[in-house]
Amino acid sequence: MSVTGVFKQLLEYWEQLPRENGQYLPTLHAVNPGIMHDILPKLALLKRLDKYNVLISMMGSQADTQWQGSMIGVNAFDLTSPGLKENAASFYSAVLDQPSAAVVRKANILKKNIQTSIASLYLPLADKEGSPSYIVGCSVYENTQLQNRDNDRLILDRHNISGVQFIDLGHGLPNWRFTPPPQPKSPMSVTSHKWWDRLLPVRRPIKDTRLDA
């Protein structure tokens, strides 16, 4: 699979990062955020502590300020639909343990029946000891009229995942397939998957380019 635009820029930067002592993944401390200043607001960093504990370690403000409070330190599984827990855990494992890159697309129907697609690129990184622990993510709206809508960045949801494609980083592709959970039995449960909306700000804040760690 080939990527273009911001994803191509990030993937090419990842590919040229130094590997230490023959490791197959670059380490997080090899990343220089200043070099990626133009796409920094679109980035998020996830840190896997264990199978069901993947912390949002840092985010560019264009994503982080879309929420009522900072998402730094929040477990990504707290922003994942309950029925998607096992899918998400195996997906993070596929990215980190294969290792491989992945592009996830989500189809959204917004107000006034506007249809758009959000694409997110996930790339693995190692910690100082060489253990695959971090995922750097970059999300963009593929409808250019909606570039400022960041509510759904890097949130996996059972109702709107339209495709997952892996990118071979030189170690093969994982044997992973998205398994849709059972559909809700009642109309009320269909709307309940938006429970995280309570975290969204009432007013859109002014953007900046800070980076939280």
Side-chain angles (χ1 to χ4, degrees):
M1 175 188 177
S2 61
V3 291
T4 59
V6 172
F7 288 175
K8 183 174 186 291
Q9 181 182 352
L10 181 58
L11 179 58
E12 289 178 347
Y13 176 73
W14 182 93
E15 289 174 335
Q16 62 86 34
L17 287 172
R19 274 69 167 166
E20 298 180 1
N21 302 319
Q23 295 175 355
Y24 51 82
L25 285 181
T27 58
L28 174 62
H29 75 270
V31 176
N32 181 354
I35 295 178
M36 300 184 293
H37 63 90
D38 54 332
I39 63 172
L40 196 58
K42 301 179 184 296
L43 300 183
L45 184 70
L46 307 177
K47 181 180 182 180
R48 183 179 64 176
L49 300 181
D50 55 52
K51 184 176 181 180
Y52 301 118
N53 195 0
V54 178
L55 299 184
I56 300 174
S57 179
M58 68 177 185
M59 299 180 74
S61 61
Q62 186 173 330
D64 194 30
T65 54
Q66 305 310 311
W67 305 89
Q68 290 281 15
S70 175
M71 290 289 100
I72 308 304
V74 172
N75 186 351
F77 284 94
D78 292 339
L79 303 176
T80 301
S81 298
L84 203 61
K85 183 177 180 180
E86 294 302 325
N87 270 290
S90 60
F91 172 77
Y92 293 135
S93 178
V95 172
L96 289 170
D97 299 328
Q98 182 69 27
S100 64
V103 174
V104 177
R105 282 185 168 82
K106 301 186 295 179
N108 273 15
I109 303 295
L110 306 175
K111 292 181 180 180
K112 299 181 181 179
N113 291 322
I114 298 175
Q115 185 168 357
T116 184
S117 177
I118 308 162
S120 298
L121 172 67
Y122 297 77
L123 285 165
L125 293 168
D127 59 21
K128 291 182 180 180
E129 287 70 41
S131 176
S133 301
Y134 295 96
I135 296 174
V136 61
C138 178
S139 294
V140 297
Y141 269 85
E142 295 183 306
N143 182 333
T144 56
Q145 296 179 347
L146 301 167
Q147 289 298 316
N148 293 332
R149 293 183 54 91
D150 304 308
N151 298 354
D152 295 314
R153 290 183 182 279
L154 295 174
I155 298 174
L156 299 178
D157 180 73
R158 64 189 178 191
H159 295 283
N160 60 2
I161 292 180
S162 59
V164 179
Q165 293 178 289
F166 288 96
I167 301 172
D168 190 344
L169 298 177
H171 303 276
L173 297 176
N175 184 22
W176 185 89
R177 295 291 183 273
F178 173 68
T179 305
Q183 290 297 310
K185 295 182 180 180
S186 67
M188 291 185 64
S189 61
V190 172
T191 60
S192 68
H193 77 284
K194 286 293 188 181
W195 61 268
W196 60 74
D197 283 349
R198 69 182 186 273
L199 298 172
L200 299 178
V202 176
R203 296 180 180 178
R204 185 168 302 279
I206 299 173
K207 296 179 183 179
D208 56 35
T209 56
R210 67 183 174 84
L211 181 66
D212 291 321

